[in-house]
């Protein structure tokens, strides 16, 4: 666990799930207005993170501010969501830095090309484009963060 700026980064607990579901739904509806956001559901989080490890950012008042999910077998970051009211506070970066072996292991993720804010964030965090593709939600870039990017 790590506390920075009165924000605690810790593994997600069973009692976090109701708040995580709400945060995920709200974040996706805010971030992806070009998709069919009316089809997004609270249960999507459970389905999309099955088998993944999650870490949460929590403030001093116990409110969940964001989370990151990781498929640990290959260090693939599946989701990183921060509440819209908490953007630009360093929470996303704190969540990334809390991932296992962040300082030693390459970590990858996919980011939709249309998500310009996220692409700028990942670039600022040292991610580089290593591939591209097409998915159900549109064109994406495969990004990778290497130990060399941390120096």
């Amino acid at each position: 666990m790590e506390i920075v700026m009165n924000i605690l980064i810790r593994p997600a607990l069973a009692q976090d799930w109701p708040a995580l579901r709400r945060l995920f739904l709200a974040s996706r509806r805010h971030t992806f207005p070009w998709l069919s956001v009316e089809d997004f559901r609270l249960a999507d989080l459970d389905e999309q993170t099955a088998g993944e490890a999650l870490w949460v950012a929590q403030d001093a008042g116990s409110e969940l501010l964001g989370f990151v999910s990781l498929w640990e077998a290959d260090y693939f970051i599946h989701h990183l969501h921060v509440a819209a009211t908490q953007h630009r506070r360093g929470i996303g970066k704190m969540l990334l830095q809390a991932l296992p072996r962040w300082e030693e292991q390459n970590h990858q993720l996919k980011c939709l090309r249309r998500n310009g804010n996220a692409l700028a964030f990942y670039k600022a965090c040292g991610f580089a484009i290593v591939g591209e593709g097409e998915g159900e939600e549109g064109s994406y870039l495969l990004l990778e963060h290497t130990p060399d990017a941390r120096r």
Side-chain angles (χ1 to χ4, degrees):
M1 287 192 256
E2 180 181 347
I3 299 177
V4 180
M5 300 181 342
N6 293 323
I7 296 172
L8 171 69
I9 307 296
R10 61 167 175 77
L13 304 171
Q15 62 262 29
D16 296 327
W17 281 88
L20 284 171
R21 289 179 190 111
R22 290 188 301 273
L23 188 152
F24 185 56
L25 181 61
S27 177
R28 290 172 67 218
R29 286 182 172 167
H30 176 266
T31 303
F32 305 116
W34 64 88
L35 297 176
S36 299
V37 297
E38 64 277 356
D39 294 337
F40 294 164
R41 303 284 177 253
L42 286 171
D44 292 346
L45 180 67
D46 302 67
E47 295 165 9
Q48 293 187 26
T49 61
E52 297 179 358
L54 276 76
W55 289 265
V56 299
Q58 177 183 344
D59 71 6
S62 298
E63 179 183 356
L64 295 186
L65 308 175
F67 75 93
V68 63
S69 71
L70 180 74
W71 184 258
E72 292 181 289
D74 58 6
Y75 298 95
F76 187 83
I77 301 163
H78 190 195
H79 290 287
L80 174 61
H81 288 270
V82 175
T85 59
Q86 302 299 317
H87 287 183
R88 303 194 181 280
R89 292 188 57 211
I91 295 168
K93 187 174 182 179
M94 284 185 257
L95 285 162
L96 290 173
Q97 292 172 342
L99 291 173
R101 302 194 62 215
W102 181 250
E103 295 295 328
E104 304 99 37
Q105 176 66 44
N106 293 4
H107 288 73
Q108 289 190 338
L109 59 85
K110 291 178 184 175
C111 186
L112 294 175
R113 285 182 183 271
R114 290 189 69 176
N115 193 351
N117 289 337
L119 287 171
F121 166 76
Y122 292 126
K123 181 180 179 185
C125 288
F127 281 82
I129 300 169
V130 295
E132 57 187 294
E134 287 291 325
E136 287 182 21
E137 297 175 334
S139 178
Y140 66 82
L141 297 174
L142 179 64
L143 306 175
E144 183 171 66
H145 196 269
T146 64
D148 291 342
R150 293 160 189 66
R151 293 186 188 131

